């Protein structure tokens, strides 16, 4: 451990920050965030003595104690307008150094010279490979095919998930552009679950495994939907032959919902067009196909791979799959584009493999095919397309210079049989994760409100002298209502509280006022009609309800379980953990690493079992920090819940610390060893051993997991922090 004290000047203030090398540069950035409210991704740290930009631990060790902190956003705003225009498109992106750029340009020049000797000026082979896809993508414009695709999509469900995903980011009033972007991602996730990958099809007769027997002749009914290649498979049990037609018509694929990457990308691109997204089918000459959609929210084309359910990670193939790319061509109704530069950071190496034709011949044939696609476009549409083309060409050149994603670990291929992936040298790691995380804000106030709302209900049980078993039955009625509401379309949620033989209508009416706080926490209200039926319905915006219902359901499950174990329900029993009051919420979270996109750090604080924080390299040590929103808090207890699977990833040893100076110094609040979670979704409760310490940041240092010998990961289903009640 090496400790240093830095004097950091920001605007008119100077802050003293203690830096511990064991904590690392990310923690140093979080300390600055606590003091200045400038998020780490917007911080520009400069040594005052030598103007050296500080971007990692080695830079910190090489500068003096005097630093200056600038906000990238504010710094950009002060630049002259012309300079701002020239750099706005790359703001926030990491760009290679001048020396690296010079080396790259030299290598590119050498590769181009070599290509002149190897490649042919004849572009016929290239054109023959691409041209069939031009007619293919026109199928996506057919209204009948689009309507057939739309009919299979649970639109209401995907809309709800899109709105909830935005709400979890704090965006409760998204624009139409933001809604469309979020819906596209949900469409991708849904497609991955609804379409099936075929290695060898199961036997049509008995459903058992089959073995490939070569190719067969296509039947007229198969040719009708573009299946000119028919694979034959013989059943290993009954010897029956099963046909696997490789359909090219996306209309048929909407029906069969199975295939390999060609079928997946073909069908998914139709779905994207069916919902109005500008879309392209992307052909990789090294044998893969995927989709690109134009995102108005991002202002650029976005990569989407339906086979892998991965979006906006164009380096997936080169970096994750270790593909040796050569040509990546995007085909749309309005043109054919060479987008290879989006998918590489090794352009000079790719140039050496582009030997089908010269670059000038390639450009010529692409221009010709694009003009052909646009021959019926109006001058106004042509103007828009040409401007978009220009912007994309500039973006592709910038992509080559970017060093973004350097801290992102991209997975190997996940779709397809394991041995097949190994044979193709596309088998790599199994996850998309980041070793440097951004600071994320917890949008979890509804979780705290739901937990607090149970106090009114339980106190009413005690006041009315309900025994615990009857209280459980009341909670089961509430739970059944929540389940009924969840099943309904998110804009039309309305269900009744149904009495039963144990909990009669009169008791339900008497308890109804105690439910009010719970319903408000879910953005719901109750209505009592003249027949005595209690109806629960939306109180306003349906999105907060959609966000809160899963939390309420899981919280009710736990409360029912806890109350069932209560021998004597009385005022004295209404304590933690039966009542979980004063839960800390709405803070900022930073972790040592996280799984993208579903295992991010804030998932530990969202109150639902459906998510978890996963640290891909956390088995032998990792950390997660929580910065309090508002006044400092005294932590008195906390809860950890095991995640949905993989017990070997459960935390076993950890230390909980608090800091009252933004993370410069830490005070040990609690320490645990050899902790076990016997079940999935098991919630363990801990009272803090060292109380009385006010903190504005809490840190969990996880030291070991249940099994670090065969596993590199740590995962936590949930973390709940409870402050002392004032």
């Amino acid at each position: 451990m090496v400790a240093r004290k830095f004097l950091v000047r920001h605007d008119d203030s100077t802050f003293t920050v203690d830096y511990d090398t064991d904590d690392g540069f990310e923690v140093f950035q979080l300390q600055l965030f606590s003091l200045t409210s400038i998020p780490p991704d917007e911080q520009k740290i400069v040594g005052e003595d030598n103007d050296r930009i500080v971007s990692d631990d080695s830079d910190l060790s090489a500068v003096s104690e005097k630093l200056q902190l600038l906000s990238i956003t504010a710094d950009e705003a002060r630049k002259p307008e012309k300079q701002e225009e020239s750099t706005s498109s790359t703001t926030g992106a990491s760009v290679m150094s001048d020396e690296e750029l010079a080396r790259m340009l030299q290598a590119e020049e050498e590769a181009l010279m070599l290509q002149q000797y190897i490649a042919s000026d004849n572009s016929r082979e290239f054109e023959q490979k691409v041209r069939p896809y031009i007619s293919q993508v026109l199928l996506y414009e057919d209204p009948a095919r689009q309507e057939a695709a739309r009919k299979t999509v649970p639109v209401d469900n995907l809309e709800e998930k899109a709105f909830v995903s935005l709400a979890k980011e704090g965006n409760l009033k998204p624009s139409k552009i933001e809604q469309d972007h979020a819906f596209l991602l949900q469409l991708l996730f849904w497609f991955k679950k609804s379409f099936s990958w075929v290695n060898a099809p199961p036997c049509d007769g008995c459903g058992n495994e089959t073995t490939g027997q070569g190719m067969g002749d296509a039947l007229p009914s198969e040719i009708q939907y573009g299946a000119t290649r028919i694979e034959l498979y013989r059943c290993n049990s009954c010897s029956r032959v099963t046909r696997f037609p490789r359909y090219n018509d996306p209309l048929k694929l909407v029906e069969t919902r199975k295939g390999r990457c060609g079928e997946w990308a073909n069908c998914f691109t139709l779905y994207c067009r069916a919902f109005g997204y500008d879309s392209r089918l992307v052909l990789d000459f090294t044998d893969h196909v995927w989709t690109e959609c134009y995102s108005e929210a991002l202002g650029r084309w976005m990569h989407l791979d339906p086979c892998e359910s991965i979006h906006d990670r164009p380096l997936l193939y080169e970096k994750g799959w270790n593909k040796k790319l050569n040509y990546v061509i995007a085909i749309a109704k309005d043109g054919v584009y060479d987008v290879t530069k989006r998918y590489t950071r090794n352009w000079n190496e790719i140039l050496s493999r582009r030997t089908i034709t010269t670059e000038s011949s390639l450009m010529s044939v692409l221009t010709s095919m694009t003009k052909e696609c646009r021959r019926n476009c109006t001058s106004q549409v042509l103007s828009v397309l040409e401007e978009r083309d220009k912007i994309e060409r500039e973006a592709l050149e910038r992509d080559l210079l970017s060093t973004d994603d350097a801290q992102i670990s991209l997975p190997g291929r996940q779709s397809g049989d394991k041995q097949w992936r190994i044979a193709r040298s596309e088998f790599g790691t199994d996850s998309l994760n980041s070793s440097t995380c951004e600071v994320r804000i917890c949008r979890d106030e509804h979780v705290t409100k739901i937990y607090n709302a149970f106090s009114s209900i339980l106190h009413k049980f005690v006041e009315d002298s309900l025994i615990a078993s009857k209280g459980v039955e009341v909670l089961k009625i509430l739970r059944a209502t929540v389940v009924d509401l969840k099943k309904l379309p998110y804009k039309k949620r309305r269900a009744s509280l149904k009495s039963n033989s144990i909990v009669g209508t009169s008791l339900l009416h008497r308890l109804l006022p105690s439910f009010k706080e719970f319903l408000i926490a879910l953005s719901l209200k109750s209505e009592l009609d003249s027949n005595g039926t209690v109806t629960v319905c939306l109180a306003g915006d349906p999105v907060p309800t959609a966000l809160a219902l899963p939390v309420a359901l899981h919280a009710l499950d736990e409360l029912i379980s806890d109350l069932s174990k209560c021998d004597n329900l009385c005022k004295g029993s209404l304590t933690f953990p039966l009542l979980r009051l004063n839960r800390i919420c709405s803070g900022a979270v930073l972790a040592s690493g996280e799984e993208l996109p579903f295992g991010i750090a804030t998932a530990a604080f969202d109150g639902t079992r459906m998510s978890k924080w996963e640290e891909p390299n956390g088995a032998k040590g990792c950390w997660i920090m929580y910065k309090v929103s508002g006044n400092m808090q005294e932590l008195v207890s906390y809860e950890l819940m095991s995640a949905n699977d993989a017990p070997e990833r459960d935390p076993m040893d950890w230390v909980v610390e608090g800091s009252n100076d933004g993370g410069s110094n830490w005070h040990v609040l609690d320490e645990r060893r050899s902790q076990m979670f016997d079940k999935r979704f098991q919630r363990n409760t801990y009272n803090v051993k060292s109380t009385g310490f006010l903190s504005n940041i809490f840190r969990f240092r996880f030291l070991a997991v249940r099994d670090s010998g065969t596993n590199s990961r740590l995962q936590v289903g949930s973390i709940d922090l409870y402050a002392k009640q004032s």
Side-chain angles (χ1 to χ4, degrees):
M1 179 187 79
V2 178
R4 292 187 65 189
K5 191 182 294 292
F6 287 98
L7 296 175
V8 183
R9 182 167 61 85
H10 173 62
D11 292 339
D12 297 327
S13 302
T14 300
F15 303 96
T16 301
V17 182
D18 291 322
Y19 168 65
D20 186 334
T21 53
D22 285 350
D23 293 334
F25 183 67
E26 291 85 1
V27 175
F28 183 72
Q29 288 183 294
L30 186 69
Q31 292 173 241
L32 296 179
F33 171 51
S34 302
L35 296 168
T36 65
S37 297
I38 299 176
D41 57 347
E42 294 183 15
Q43 292 176 6
K44 180 178 180 181
I45 306 169
V46 182
E48 286 203 339
D49 292 346
N50 55 9
D51 290 334
R52 176 170 178 163
I53 295 178
V54 178
S55 58
D56 55 28
D57 294 304
S58 61
D59 291 332
L60 272 180
S61 63
V63 297
S64 71
E65 284 72 17
K66 294 182 179 180
L67 302 174
Q68 183 180 8
L69 173 64
L70 303 172
S71 166
I72 291 175
T73 305
D75 196 37
E76 287 294 323
R78 287 193 290 268
K79 292 181 179 180
E81 185 175 342
K82 183 176 181 180
Q83 183 180 356
E84 182 177 304
E85 290 175 358
S86 67
T87 60
S88 60
S89 58
T90 58
T91 298
S94 301
V95 180
M96 63 177 63
S97 67
D98 291 343
E99 183 179 347
E100 290 171 321
L101 176 59
R103 284 200 300 268
M104 189 195 80
L105 293 175
Q106 177 65 29
E108 180 179 342
E109 184 178 340
E110 292 171 358
L112 282 169
M113 289 179 63
L114 179 62
Q115 188 189 72
Q116 301 303 312
Y117 292 100
I118 300 175
S120 167
D121 284 331
N122 190 338
S123 59
R124 183 177 301 171
E125 180 186 348
F126 178 87
E127 185 170 355
Q128 287 177 340
K129 192 171 182 69
V130 174
R131 183 163 288 281
Y133 290 92
I134 296 178
S135 55
Q136 176 70 34
V137 298
L138 293 179
L139 296 177
Y140 309 145
E141 305 307 308
D142 174 33
R145 287 179 170 83
Q146 291 186 2
E147 179 61 21
R150 282 193 295 269
K151 284 181 177 178
T152 66
V153 178
V155 175
D156 192 86
N157 180 257
L158 298 192
E159 278 186 1
E160 178 181 3
K161 289 182 176 180
F163 277 116
V164 167
S165 69
L166 291 165
K168 286 184 175 181
E169 296 172 358
N171 188 353
L172 289 169
K173 299 293 180 182
S175 65
K176 177 65 165 58
I177 288 175
E178 291 168 329
Q179 292 174 38
D180 288 345
H181 183 83
F183 183 87
L184 176 58
L185 300 187
Q186 294 304 323
L187 185 66
L188 174 70
F189 303 148
W190 166 81
F191 186 86
K192 170 66 174 178
K193 294 179 180 178
S194 65
F195 215 79
S196 299
W197 181 273
V198 176
N199 293 310
C203 175
D204 284 342
C206 65
N208 286 315
E209 293 183 356
T210 61
T211 301
Q213 301 294 304
M215 306 299 289
D217 295 327
L219 302 175
S221 60
E222 295 165 335
I223 294 173
Q224 178 185 354
Y225 294 103
T228 56
R229 293 184 300 126
I230 310 297
E231 298 176 10
L232 301 179
Y233 293 83
R234 186 175 298 279
C235 180
N236 298 337
S237 299
C238 71
S239 298
R240 175 172 175 165
V241 173
T242 294
R243 301 170 67 85
F244 177 36
R246 302 301 302 275
Y247 292 115
N248 282 319
D249 191 330
L251 179 63
K252 188 65 175 178
L253 296 175
V254 166
E255 175 192 330
T256 64
R257 313 194 72 73
K258 63 183 180 181
R260 302 198 190 109
C261 62
E263 289 92 343
W264 281 65
N266 187 2
C267 192
F268 180 68
T269 309
L270 170 64
Y271 275 104
C272 294
R273 288 298 299 131
F275 285 96
Y277 298 98
D278 284 346
S279 308
R280 299 164 164 175
L281 188 65
V282 181
L283 173 65
D284 159 26
F285 279 27
T286 62
D287 194 24
H288 193 45
V289 196
W290 59 86
T291 305
E292 285 185 350
C293 288
Y294 191 81
S295 168
E296 296 287 352
L298 299 176
R300 57 176 171 79
W301 289 95
M302 180 172 67
H303 150 256
L304 301 111
D305 191 320
C307 299
E308 309 298 297
S309 192
I310 287 180
H311 65 278
D312 209 20
R313 298 293 177 190
L315 298 185
L316 172 69
Y317 312 108
E318 182 176 83
K319 187 176 176 183
W321 296 18
N322 197 32
K323 263 183 170 290
K324 306 304 180 186
L325 300 171
N326 48 28
Y327 299 94
V328 181
I329 307 299
I331 305 100
K333 64 183 178 68
D334 51 29
V336 184
Y337 312 86
D338 181 4
V339 295
T340 312
K341 290 180 179 179
R342 178 175 295 125
Y343 295 91
T344 183
R345 293 297 180 268
N346 299 306
W347 176 240
N348 55 303
E349 291 182 17
I350 281 186
L351 274 175
S352 68
R353 297 192 289 268
R354 286 163 70 102
T355 58
I356 295 177
T357 188
T358 62
E359 294 302 298
S360 58
S361 297
L362 173 68
M363 182 59 65
S364 177
V365 73
L366 290 177
T367 301
S368 175
M369 286 191 287
T370 297
K371 284 182 178 179
E372 181 183 325
C373 294
R374 297 178 180 181
R375 62 182 178 271
N376 295 322
C377 292
T378 65
S379 58
Q380 185 177 4
V381 171
L382 282 174
S383 178
V384 171
L385 291 173
E386 287 166 1
E387 178 62 22
R388 182 182 284 186
D389 291 349
K390 176 176 174 291
I391 292 171
E392 182 177 26
R393 285 194 298 270
E394 294 171 353
L396 290 174
E397 294 299 328
R398 288 196 305 273
D399 286 343
L400 287 179
L401 307 180
S402 172
T403 58
D404 279 359
D405 283 352
Q407 303 301 321
I408 301 293
S409 174
L410 295 167
R413 187 169 193 157
Q414 304 299 302
S415 55
D417 177 74
K418 180 178 178 179
Q419 294 305 317
W420 177 74
R421 287 180 280 149
I422 292 173
R424 292 165 60 97
S425 300
E426 295 173 354
F427 190 80
T429 62
D430 62 354
S431 69
L432 170 62
N433 61 77
S434 175
S435 60
T436 57
C437 305
E438 61 182 273
V439 174
R440 304 182 187 275
I441 305 299
C442 291
R443 311 294 179 180
D444 61 338
E445 187 179 2
H446 60 287
V447 182
T448 298
K449 288 181 177 179
I450 289 169
Y451 288 5
N452 289 342
F454 289 137
S455 177
S456 298
I457 297 173
L458 293 181
H459 275 92
K460 182 63 176 174
F461 289 175
V462 171
E463 181 184 319
D464 286 13
S465 301
L466 260 66
I467 59 174
S469 60
K470 183 161 281 192
V472 166
E473 292 303 318
V474 172
L475 294 177
K476 286 181 178 179
I477 290 174
L478 267 182
R479 186 190 184 281
T481 305
V482 169
V483 170
D484 289 343
L485 290 167
K486 274 185 95 278
K487 292 177 181 177
L488 295 169
Y490 77 103
K491 294 179 182 177
K492 301 177 181 179
R493 285 186 159 133
R494 189 179 188 89
S496 58
L497 285 169
K498 300 181 181 73
S499 58
N500 56 35
S501 58
I502 301 175
V503 180
T505 303
S506 60
L507 175 57
L508 208 55
H509 288 180
R510 195 165 74 244
L511 294 174
L512 187 58
S514 70
F515 299 163
K516 183 177 180 180
E517 187 179 350
F518 176 74
L519 295 178
I520 290 174
L522 273 64
S523 298
L524 297 169
K525 63 181 180 180
S526 63
E527 297 174 349
L528 181 63
D529 66 18
S530 56
N531 296 321
T533 302
V534 179
T535 301
V536 175
C537 59
L538 294 170
D541 184 352
V543 176
T545 303
L547 182 64
L549 280 174
V551 178
L553 180 60
H554 298 154
L556 279 166
D557 284 341
E558 293 182 359
L559 183 57
I560 289 169
S561 176
D562 291 343
L563 191 57
S564 299
K565 301 170 187 173
C566 185
D567 296 327
N568 180 28
L569 182 58
C570 60
K571 193 171 183 180
S573 62
L574 301 184
T575 58
F576 183 78
L578 186 62
L579 277 183
R580 289 142 64 194
L581 300 174
N582 224 32
R583 177 183 177 276
I584 301 172
C585 64
S586 304
V589 178
L590 181 67
S592 54
E594 60 186 6
E595 183 85 1
L596 301 172
F598 300 117
I600 61 175
T602 46
F605 301 90
D606 63 9
T608 171
R609 296 176 183 174
M610 298 184 296
S611 62
K612 60 186 175 184
W613 168 51
E614 190 167 351
E615 222 287 18
N617 303 300
K620 296 183 178 179
C622 61
W623 51 264
I624 187 168
M625 290 191 290
Y626 187 99
K627 180 178 181 292
V628 174
S629 173
N631 297 329
M632 289 198 290
Q633 300 277 7
E634 179 187 345
L635 186 69
V636 293
S637 56
Y638 62 95
E639 294 177 315
L640 298 183
M641 187 173 71
S642 57
N644 62 316
D645 62 359
E648 66 274 10
R649 302 175 186 172
D650 290 344
M652 186 173 70
D653 301 340
W654 64 82
V655 177
V656 184
E657 300 166 313
S659 173
N660 58 12
D661 56 10
S664 293
N665 297 283
W666 295 95
H667 176 81
V668 175
L669 303 175
D670 198 49
E671 188 169 356
R672 302 286 169 164
R673 291 285 187 274
S674 303
Q675 299 299 299
M676 299 294 287
F677 295 83
D678 299 324
K679 300 180 295 184
R680 300 303 83 206
F681 305 123
Q682 177 176 319
R683 183 183 292 273
N684 285 358
T685 300
Y686 303 95
N687 291 315
V688 168
K689 295 176 181 177
S690 176
T691 58
F693 187 82
L694 292 174
S695 304
N696 54 15
I697 293 185
F698 300 107
R699 177 171 68 179
F700 282 78
R701 286 196 291 115
F702 293 103
L703 309 176
V705 297
R706 188 166 175 171
D707 180 5
S708 59
T710 60
N711 158 62
S712 66
R713 295 170 175 268
L714 172 138
Q715 64 181 26
V716 178
S718 71
I719 301 173
D720 291 291
L721 308 173
Y722 299 95
K724 183 178 182 180
Q725 295 187 51
S726 54

